[in-house]
Amino acid sequence: MKRILLLAGILIAVSSVLQAQPKIKFEKETQELGYVLWRNPVTVTYYFTNDGDKPLVISNVTTSCGCTEAKWTEDPIPAGGKGEVTAIFDAEAIGRFYKEVGVYCNASSTPIYLGFNGEVTADPKNYTFTHPYAFGSIRLDKEEIEFDDVNKGDNPVFEILVANTSNKAYSPVLMHLPPYLTAKAVPEVLGRGKNGRIEVTLDSEKLPKLGITRTSVYLARFPGDKVGSENEIPVSVALLPDFSHESEWVKNNPPVLTLSATSLEFPPLNPKQKKSQNIIITNTGKSDLTIQDMQVLNIALAVRLKKRVLKPGESTKMKITVLAENLPRVKGTPRVLMLTNDPKHPKVTIRVKATVKE
């Protein structure tokens, strides 16, 4: 009898060891870069999470051509931890392209391939392709600033590419910066037809609160420029919850957020139309799930959530309504941002695609 029990114990131990594995989950495995400028290297970043229960180790990342250089998080990523793979693409030829990087790690017996594509243009003066957002005669590659997945103590940098299409020298300046943001232009002065970047740095220690913080900064298009909707750049920051103080029981029996969808697409709407869709939120974990903070990140969306605390196995409905009359005034991607006490999904973004009929 003792031998049988001993053998059973050994089998259980071996089984648990075999079941414990790292698991790599990428936010996006392919990315569309659109138009990129020839001889102007671009950086593509793939963010991932270790959804397994053992440390994840990336041993190597290969590229499909010599025009791409790869970097990655080399330290072991613990269970629930995050990392990134970066590809730096320096185009050698004009035209359409598709490139891949292969990720070798202990979560898969075969490489995981990540791709990116776009089109290389040779016209350095036509910034319409590479800098699609116009602020007068100044063009940017982004129209909003997003700091996602920020932990207390982090100082992340958000980069905006800027091009000067005016006939004068231009100094990129962001106005009305809050205390937790600083900005630096590189170079400080752009000559006519020249391009550079603005580096926006977040000091997470100076944020007013945990959760979601929203504000706006304004691009000075010329000396003495004033603030207004024409030069407004929305800013959003998601400062993630701190799970270090959770009880051992909650750590071993966490809540698990499950969504019926993470994006919604609406058919073209009439100018005065309001259209709604629902997303079902379910707690498939073993302790209470709490939606700690929620923000609607533009005026074209309205959201109604019936419950913010869900017991294990419980569901609730989130109703998202698009207000078509406000869509023309929207800057950035319409989306809903939520922070939860699920340690593997502390931040969730629901993106909404909607247009107005012409």
Side-chain angles (χ1 to χ4, degrees):
M1 185 65 181
K2 290 182 178 179
R3 289 182 179 179
I4 293 173
L5 291 174
L6 178 61
L7 181 59
I10 293 173
L11 290 174
I12 291 172
V14 171
S15 174
S16 63
V17 169
L18 291 175
Q19 291 175 359
Q21 295 291 336
K23 184 179 179 182
I24 189 167
K25 182 179 180 182
F26 285 92
E27 290 185 5
K28 292 182 180 178
E29 293 191 1
T30 59
Q31 296 193 39
E32 168 64 53
L33 302 187
Y35 286 95
V36 300
L37 196 61
W38 184 48
R39 292 181 176 174
N40 189 22
V42 295
T43 299
V44 190
T45 303
Y46 302 88
Y47 298 98
F48 65 84
T49 303
N50 179 6
D51 275 355
D53 45 18
K54 285 191 66 177
L56 170 69
V57 178
I58 296 179
S59 56
N60 192 26
V61 177
T62 60
T63 63
S64 58
C65 73
C67 57
T68 306
E69 177 188 353
K71 298 179 181 180
W72 63 93
T73 303
E74 297 186 12
D75 294 332
I77 296 98
K82 298 179 182 294
E84 60 186 58
V85 173
T86 300
I88 302 170
F89 174 59
D90 191 355
E92 296 178 347
I94 306 299
R96 294 289 304 175
F97 65 86
Y98 175 78
K99 304 296 178 182
E100 286 185 332
V101 294
V103 180
Y104 293 77
C105 65
N106 63 338
S108 175
S109 58
T110 58
I112 300 167
Y113 289 100
L114 309 171
F116 60 92
N117 59 77
E119 184 169 349
V120 179
T121 176
D123 184 1
K125 302 301 181 185
N126 187 354
Y127 288 107
T128 305
F129 298 135
T130 55
H131 300 65
Y133 303 106
F135 291 73
S137 57
I138 307 304
R139 303 192 70 93
L140 305 181
D141 73 325
K142 302 178 184 73
E143 62 173 346
E144 59 184 328
I145 297 171
E146 298 178 67
F147 289 100
D148 292 340
D149 300 334
V150 178
N151 293 294
K152 195 74 170 178
D154 289 351
N155 297 106
V157 177
F158 188 90
E159 185 177 275
I160 304 173
L161 300 183
V162 55
N164 177 19
T165 64
S166 72
N167 57 4
K168 299 179 180 179
Y170 168 67
S171 298
V173 174
L174 290 181
M175 304 182 291
H176 283 216
L177 288 167
Y180 48 85
L181 293 180
T182 55
K184 178 177 71 172
V186 181
E188 292 184 358
V189 179
L190 299 178
R192 183 174 59 183
K194 300 298 183 180
N195 66 88
R197 66 184 186 275
I198 302 174
E199 297 175 352
V200 184
T201 303
L202 170 68
D203 185 347
S204 61
E205 296 287 354
K206 294 183 179 179
L207 285 168
K209 62 183 180 68
L210 285 170
I212 302 165
T213 299
R214 296 175 60 196
T215 189
S216 290
V217 296
Y218 300 85
L219 179 70
R221 297 159 291 183
F222 47 82
D225 195 7
K226 298 180 179 180
V227 302
S229 59
E230 299 84 4
N231 59 342
E232 179 185 13
I233 300 177
V235 180
S236 64
V237 182
L239 185 59
L240 299 180
D242 181 6
F243 296 102
S244 62
H245 303 299
E246 297 281 6
S247 68
E248 286 300 316
W249 188 89
V250 172
K251 289 179 181 179
N252 294 326
N253 299 273
V256 177
L257 174 74
T258 303
L259 298 177
S260 60
T262 56
S263 63
L264 296 177
E265 184 168 353
F266 289 76
L269 305 174
N270 295 320
K272 298 292 185 179
Q273 189 175 2
K274 297 180 182 179
K275 190 74 173 177
S276 300
Q277 293 188 33
N278 294 322
I279 288 179
I280 305 301
I281 303 173
T282 304
N283 178 10
T284 57
K286 297 181 179 179
S287 58
D288 288 355
L289 172 70
T290 302
I291 298 173
Q292 299 174 333
D293 200 356
M294 183 176 72
Q295 290 282 347
V296 182
L297 297 184
N298 62 59
I299 59 174
L301 298 182
V303 176
R304 182 181 178 186
L305 182 62
K306 289 190 174 182
K307 299 182 69 174
R308 289 206 177 204
V309 178
L310 301 178
K311 296 186 178 301
E314 195 173 11
S315 297
T316 191
K317 184 186 296 184
M318 173 185 283
K319 182 179 180 181
I320 299 179
T321 302
V322 175
L323 311 174
E325 64 180 349
N326 290 337
L327 280 172
R329 294 187 285 156
V330 166
K331 283 191 174 183
T333 305
R335 64 195 189 279
V336 179
L337 191 62
M338 295 191 300
L339 294 187
T340 80
N341 65 333
D342 176 352
K344 289 192 175 181
H345 304 93
K347 185 215 68 175
V348 177
T349 302
I350 300 172
R351 298 185 182 274
V352 179
K353 184 176 181 181
T355 57
V356 179
K357 291 180 181 178
E358 295 182 359

